[in-house]
Amino acid sequence: MTRRSRRLATGAFVCAISGVLAGCTTSPAATPVTAPADAVAVEVTQVVDGDTVRARPLPGTAPPWTPTESDPVDTDVAVRLIGVDTPEVYPDLECGGAEATDALRSLVSAGDTVWATRDDEERDRYDRVLLYLWTEDGTFVNLELVASGAGEALRIDPNDRYWPDLQAAQSTARDTAAGIWSLCR
């Protein structure tokens, strides 16, 4: 089974167990097929929740973030996905939080190589690295989470390179009652 077919099958499973099969979508046609030229390969070390992973640069490569004393170049860092906000799982489980985490895990998992790029700001107020991610098959992870209804589009200026795409994906997800738009609203 390829990653793409596994992703689609997992997405259908997440939709089925959440009881909102009619409102779910895996929207493969909505995602760009390649990462941008400035993207850098990194390894996912952990999926934390629906919009956060831990990642590290591949051996011998420079990360798409500036290493600090607290996270030197050879360690993994917390990565907050830009432009998407999913329901929380910590400290309290919000409606759709487990499904959002499952949705992200259906796209990436520990050990996967993904392509990452930054926007204008490198880190958020919690010192997490802010990135857009693409899978090896070209799926734009941030956009896929919004398009499937795992989360909603979130604009925090000046990080808005893909805002029009994310906003359009949210509009479609809301109109079709995908994911959180039927499960939690």
Side-chain angles (χ1 to χ4, degrees):
M1 180 177 271
T2 67
R3 170 164 295 282
R4 183 176 180 83
S5 61
R6 185 177 86 213
R7 177 175 54 83
L8 294 173
T10 303
F13 175 74
V14 168
C15 290
I17 64 170
S18 69
V20 292
L21 184 58
C24 286
T25 177
T26 52
S27 61
T31 58
V33 292
T34 57
D38 65 342
V40 175
V42 297
E43 178 187 355
V44 173
T45 59
Q46 177 188 1
V47 173
V48 177
D49 60 24
D51 54 30
T52 309
V53 299
R54 293 197 63 85
R56 66 175 164 230
L58 296 180
T61 64
W65 60 85
T66 305
T68 65
E69 286 184 25
S70 64
D71 54 42
V73 73
D74 58 344
T75 63
D76 66 349
V77 297
V79 172
R80 174 65 165 79
L81 302 181
I82 302 171
V84 59
D85 188 32
T86 63
E88 299 300 326
V89 294
Y90 304 112
D92 297 315
L93 180 63
E94 295 178 354
C95 179
E99 292 83 358
T101 303
D102 290 343
L104 182 53
R105 284 190 178 125
S106 75
L107 296 166
V108 300
S109 57
D112 285 356
T113 297
V114 296
W115 293 91
T117 189
R118 295 175 23 198
D119 209 322
D120 289 334
E121 289 182 330
E122 183 173 322
R123 293 175 187 260
D124 68 7
R125 65 182 177 187
Y126 304 106
D127 202 36
R128 296 175 296 189
V129 174
L130 301 171
L131 295 173
Y132 299 105
L133 300 181
W134 286 262
T135 63
E136 287 192 308
D137 74 358
T139 301
F140 184 10
V141 174
N142 310 50
L143 182 64
E144 184 66 24
L145 291 169
V146 173
S148 69
E152 57 189 303
L154 174 68
R155 181 180 190 174
I156 300 178
D157 289 326
N159 296 323
D160 60 2
R161 183 185 315 173
Y162 297 101
W163 177 247
D165 298 323
L166 293 162
Q167 191 175 32
Q170 176 178 292
S171 179
T172 300
R174 188 180 322 138
D175 290 350
T176 60
I180 62 170
W181 301 107
S182 63
L183 182 64
C184 305
R185 311 278 176 183

